[in-house]
Amino acid sequence: MKKLLKTLLIAIGSVVVLACAGTIWFLGRGGAFRTLTPHFAGACEPLELPGSGEDIQVDRERGFAYVSLLDRQQVIKGQTVEGTIVRLDLNASPLAPLPAIESGPEHVHPHGLSLFIESGGQRHLFVINHPAKRGVDPETVEHFVETAPGAFAHAETLRDPRMNSPNDLVAVGPRQFYVANDKATGGWLRAMPS
């Protein structure tokens, strides 16, 4: 019995040693033991925005950043609030948020957003819009078309029952995008409205 116990303890000890060595090797390969040297040459400054930012999309050609905003603290408290999309002119100083949406749906709870620029320069903004009654009302993607530099008008609302919990999307055409659900039952969806 003592011999069996001794053999069992040696086996367990060996497994523990191998597991620790493997973990240390894995962490080392991933850079856990490296020293990071700060290399940002700029300066950070706070920017007052009307809500908390969920996503940001940069139009590098024009120097605009689009930010989806919603006061999520008020939503958590059960308050009825509307969100918005703002434009920041990255070439301006100081930065000031300006409305990016000229017209839109009645209810806006924006989440992920994506900008698509056609070869001719026409811009399309796609925005995940969560319903006020999540889990009851359908999730949507709002499609906006640029009418003036940095200003968008609502073009259409897109729905699909497979968008059960959309988190982010990427536009790949003037009416095409991929959307990612953040729940295991949905995964990625390819949306190509007719």
Side-chain angles (χ1 to χ4, degrees), residues 66-68 83-86 99-118 122-129 140-148 150-158 169 171 173-177:
Y66 300 100
V67 183
S68 61
T84 190
I85 307 297
V86 297
I101 304 300
E102 295 177 333
S103 65
E106 184 177 310
H107 166 80
V108 179
H109 274 192
H111 201 101
L113 60 115
S114 184
L115 179 70
F116 180 78
I117 304 172
E118 293 184 53
Q122 179 64 57
R123 284 154 167 77
H124 301 263
L125 192 63
F126 294 86
V127 180
I128 291 173
N129 190 14
T140 63
V141 170
E142 305 300 339
H143 175 205
F144 298 90
V145 177
E146 188 179 55
T147 56
F152 291 83
H154 189 251
E156 61 188 326
T157 298
L158 304 163
L169 76 164
R175 293 193 72 235
Q176 298 86 27
F177 56 90

Side-chain angles (χ1 to χ4, degrees), residues 18-63:
L18 286 173
C20 289
T23 300
I24 290 170
W25 176 84
F26 181 75
L27 289 172
R29 295 271 301 162
F33 304 115
R34 293 185 187 152
T35 299
L36 298 178
T37 306
H39 59 275
F40 177 62
C44 293
E45 59 184 82
L47 181 62
E48 293 295 322
L49 295 172
S52 58
E54 176 58 45
D55 202 0
I56 185 169
Q57 183 72 56
V58 177
D59 182 343
R60 296 184 189 286
E61 185 178 307
R62 291 202 176 138

